[in-house]
């Protein structure tokens, strides 16, 4: 595809993004009762030893899952789920703490019981890992597009991953971008978040410098939080808790994307998810893609969105119904993790995977962002 064709396709894609709200206004909102979000009650933090920062950042996370691990969360005792919601806090000087929590739920405990696995679409043969058939990714170029919402919410992580802005000071990313399940990665000691600056805003006239790449403004991270469900010691790493929250030293002034409990794919507008990231095979470029949900478990979203290493940590969003605003809104419903071989019912399936934001994870991440329970009630 020529650069001109790519530019035309990108413009058509952006036009589609702007016209989509009008089409969505004709859709009926999902007819379901409000999702109950449990309350996370944290205990006093316990000091831990300083991190050694001995791990190596892994940008291409690949796991395997069989029927036993696929349905694990559906049978997990409440005590184990609560234990996995405990979290470590890493500070810029290497000091870290462990915070255990209690979970307050309604008597029936439905918030702790995730929905069962379901198949949503016919399967497709594996073509090439992480790229399925024709490459469906789009480079986002030009000042207007790079600074346009929702693309402006994507940021770079200095360890080589992507993140998404979820408040004026917080970035959601994948846990494996900062921690390998045993220790923090070497680059997490001086972790930074990169904001794209289009060339013209930086004082360069793009018309005189063809294909000029955007620059990056780096901001230091004040503290990092990782769920204990990811920090498993010698056990097999699972994608179920592959998320982390970074708090910036200074607030940014860009729009951010709000979080939402991930609905069933049937309640996503168009049954589609979207995300933008910094794929390693397109250095210096922000890459956008979208695709339908193929399968979903209690903790993961399985799909064939084209992606390469570096896209890990991208905020996966969909258009979900906002009860307060009474309209469809883009909201982060998951975090792109990587790739998984799924062995179910005698079939070996191949997917790219996002961690879905469950009610429990929403309560945890929301507490990390706001520091209190009152602001963690979903729409």
């Amino acid at each position: 595809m020529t650069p001109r064709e790519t530019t035309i396709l990108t413009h058509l894609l952006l036009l589609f993004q702007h016209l989509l709200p009008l089409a969505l206004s004709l859709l009926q909102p999902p007819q379901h009762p409000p999702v109950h979000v449990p309350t996370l009650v944290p205990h006093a933090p316990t000091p831990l030893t300083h991190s050694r920062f001995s791990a190596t950042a892994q940008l291409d996370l690949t796991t395997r899952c069989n029927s036993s691990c696929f349905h694990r969360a559906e049978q997990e005792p409440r005590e184990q789920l609560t234990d996995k919601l405990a979290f470590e806090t890493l500070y810029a000087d290497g000091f870290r703490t462990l915070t255990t929590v209690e979970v307050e739920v309604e008597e029936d405990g439905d918030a702790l019981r995730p929905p069962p696995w379901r198949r949503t679409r016919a399967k497709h043969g594996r073509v090439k890992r992480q790229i399925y058939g024709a490459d469906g990714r789009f480079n986002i170029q030009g000042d207007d597009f790079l600074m346009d919402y929702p693309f402006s919410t994507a940021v770079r992580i200095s360890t080589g991953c992507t993140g998404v802005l979820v408040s004026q000071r917080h970035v959601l990313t994948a846990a494996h971008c900062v921690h390998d399940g045993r220790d923090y990665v070497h680059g997490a000691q001086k972790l930074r978040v990169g904001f794209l600056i289009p060339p013209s805003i930086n004082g360069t006239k793009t018309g005189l410098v063809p294909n000029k790449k955007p620059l990056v403004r780096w901001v230091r991270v004040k503290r990092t939080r990782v769920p204990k469900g990811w920090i498993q010691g010698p056990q097999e790493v699972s994608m179920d808790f592959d998320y982390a929250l970074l708090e910036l030293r200074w607030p940014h002034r860009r729009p951010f994307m709000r979080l939402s409990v991930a609905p069933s794919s049937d309640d996503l507008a168009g049954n589609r998810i979207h995300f933008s990231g910094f794929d390693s095979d397109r250095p210096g470029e922000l890459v956008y893609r979208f695709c339908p949900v193929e399968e979903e478990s209690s903790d993961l979203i399985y799909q064939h969105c084209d992606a390469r290493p570096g896209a890990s940590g991208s905020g996966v969003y969909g258009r979900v119904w906002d009860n307060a605003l009474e309209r469809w809104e883009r909201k982060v419903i998951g975090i792109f993790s990587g790739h998984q071989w799924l062995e179910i019912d005698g079939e070996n399936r191949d997917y790219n995977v996002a961690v879905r934001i469950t009610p429990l994870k929403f309560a945890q991440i929301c507490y990390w962002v706001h520091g209190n329970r009152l602001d963690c009630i979903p729409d």
Side-chain angles (χ1 to χ4, degrees), residues 10-71:
T10 302
H11 280 72
L12 290 174
L13 178 66
L14 269 293
L15 178 62
F16 169 77
Q17 286 260 7
H18 288 292
L19 292 178
L20 187 57
L22 178 61
L24 289 176
S25 66
L26 303 176
L27 295 178
Q28 293 296 318
Q31 302 298 317
H32 297 297
V35 175
H36 172 71
V37 172
T39 300
L40 219 66
V41 183
H43 298 157
T46 302
L48 301 173
T49 58
H50 277 55
S51 173
R52 294 173 297 158
F53 298 101
S54 62
T56 301
Q58 183 180 2
L59 303 184
D60 189 12
L61 181 65
T62 300
T63 62
R64 290 184 175 273
C65 184
N66 56 26
S67 180
S68 175
C69 89
F70 193 85
H71 295 284

Side-chain angles (χ1 to χ4, degrees), residues 221-274:
V221 171
K222 179 180 178 181
R223 59 183 174 184
T224 301
R225 281 174 162 160
V226 181
K228 192 178 176 184
W230 175 259
I231 303 171
Q232 303 178 67
Q235 301 175 34
E236 182 182 354
V237 170
S238 168
M239 286 181 167
D240 294 357
F241 287 85
D242 187 15
Y243 57 92
L245 191 77
L246 317 180
E247 182 179 345
L248 303 175
R249 286 194 173 184
W250 303 284
H252 61 84
R253 296 182 180 180
R254 299 195 180 185
F256 58 87
M257 199 175 299
R258 296 168 62 200
L259 296 170
S260 172
V261 174
S264 164
S265 60
D266 292 336
D267 293 333
L268 287 174
N271 189 6
R272 296 188 184 281
I273 58 171
H274 314 246

Side-chain angles (χ1 to χ4, degrees), residues 25 57 76 101 183 235 241 246 260 263 266 270 275 280 303 326 329 334 357:
S25 66
E76 208 159 22
V101 302
D183 191 17
Q235 301 175 34
F241 287 85
L246 317 180
S260 172
D266 292 336
F275 60 97
S280 58
Q303 32 77 22
E326 295 187 342
E329 286 284 303
I357 299 178

Side-chain angles (χ1 to χ4, degrees), residues 59 61 174 176 230 239 242 300 312-313 335-339 353-355:
L59 303 184
L61 181 65
H176 77 261
W230 175 259
M239 286 181 167
D242 187 15
L300 300 176
S312 291
I335 306 94
F336 181 66
S337 177
H339 185 80
V353 179
V355 180

